[in-house]
Amino acid sequence: AQKITQTQPGMFVQEKEAVTLDCTYDTSDQSYGLFWYKQPSSGEMIFLIYQGSYDEQNATEGRYSLNFQKARKSANLVISASQLGDSAMYFCAMSLLRANSKLTFGKGITLSVRP
Amino acid sequence: GAGVSQSPRYKVAKRGQDVALRCDPISGHVSLFWYQQALGQGPEFLTYFQNEAQLDKSGLPSDRFFAERPEGSVSTLKIQRTQQEDSAVYLCASSLTGTGVDQPQHFGDGTRLSIL
């Protein structure tokens, strides 16, 4: 069965610095997608970035980039130039083509940005 | 608004009561998903609709949980004879197409359910 692992404890970063949030995944499927979502304390789940299993280049969306290492089964999120508003819970998730694309989430990582 | 809308935002019920949670997806979105998020955890899949068809209900924890999407738009998640372990945030998400792993799911703000 597919699994997402996020093991970092709460992360802290200084404002304007970059931070990497780790995510490893486990699946034997060849066709899958990897997503990162942000969940502020208000509760909404905000889509950040997507990486497909066949994509050869790392995905980028503004200040977010995904460091995709397929052989190591890792999909780390890099946030550049951190802002106070980046403080939130971050979830890595995976979808499988054969499983109706439902998302399997990790447990999440809490990021706190210090001024 | 253009986003996924869920109501009520908060729901408090006594153990044994029935509850109904509503989700209004983004207009035109084919796929609709329900997830349950316990405190401090990631969301867990409950069920999936493609238009009005419920294609996957493997995540529903018991037969007390029932979901429908009769006209392929609004969906309702119903929980009968609620128990304390049903306390959680229930998230609804929609995506544009019915297939493909590359479709981001867009989430509502969730319904926080508390069972007393």
Side-chain angles (χ1 to χ4, degrees):
Chain A
Q2 63 272 20
K3 185 178 179 181
I4 295 286
T5 301
Q6 297 179 264
T7 58
Q8 289 169 304
M11 293 286 290
F12 294 86
V13 65
Q14 205 67 31
E15 193 178 8
K16 299 181 184 178
E17 292 185 349
V19 63
T20 298
L21 306 182
D22 295 342
C23 171
T24 59
Y25 61 93
D26 187 20
T27 181
S28 55
D29 288 45
Q30 297 302 309
S31 296
Y32 53 87
L34 296 160
F35 298 82
W36 278 91
Y37 283 85
K38 171 185 178 181
Q39 189 174 45
S41 57
S42 51
E44 72 269 32
M45 193 75 77
I46 302 166
F47 165 69
L48 297 178
I49 196 167
Y50 160 80
Q51 179 85 40
S53 59
Y54 294 113
D55 294 341
E56 295 187 350
Q57 293 202 345
N58 288 339
T60 61
E61 288 285 350
R63 293 187 299 112
Y64 305 107
S65 60
L66 201 152
N67 184 0
F68 180 47
Q69 298 189 39
K70 193 170 182 177
R72 298 179 60 184
K73 294 190 174 179
S74 73
N76 298 340
L77 177 70
V78 180
I79 305 174
S80 63
S82 297
Q83 302 172 356
L84 295 178
D86 294 335
S87 295
M89 194 82 165
Y90 288 80
F91 290 97
C92 180
M94 177 169 59
S95 66
L96 299 179
L97 183 62
R98 64 169 174 83
N100 292 316
S101 301
K102 62 189 176 188
L103 292 173
T104 298
F105 286 86
K107 291 187 175 182
I109 302 168
T110 301
L111 176 66
S112 299
V113 180
R114 291 172 168 153
Chain B
V4 177
S5 177
Q6 291 188 246
S7 61
R9 189 78 169 90
Y10 302 92
K11 177 69 178 177
V12 179
K14 292 182 179 179
R15 186 164 52 95
Q17 288 183 331
D18 298 348
V19 298
L21 312 179
R22 176 189 167 102
C23 173
D24 200 341
I26 294 172
S27 178
H29 276 198
V30 169
S31 295
L32 186 146
F33 300 82
W34 283 98
Y35 295 87
Q36 180 190 59
Q37 186 176 21
L39 190 64
Q41 302 294 316
E44 293 193 353
F45 169 78
L46 293 176
T47 188
Y48 163 64
F49 291 87
Q50 186 177 116
N51 295 308
E52 68 278 4
Q54 189 176 21
L55 299 186
D56 188 346
K57 52 182 181 179
S58 61
L60 295 177
S62 76
D63 58 7
R64 297 186 296 104
F65 287 71
F66 171 77
E68 60 183 3
R69 193 187 185 197
E71 297 179 357
S73 55
V74 171
S75 176
T76 304
L77 176 67
K78 297 179 180 178
I79 309 173
Q80 298 177 323
R81 304 181 304 281
T82 53
Q83 301 178 3
Q84 284 194 320
E85 60 262 32
D86 299 336
S87 296
V89 175
Y90 290 84
L91 294 166
C92 176
S94 68
S95 64
L96 183 60
T97 67
T99 58
V101 295
D102 61 341
Q103 294 296 311
Q105 294 180 23
H106 300 275
F107 284 78
D109 290 346
T111 294
R112 185 176 297 275
L113 176 64
S114 298
I115 305 300
L116 304 179

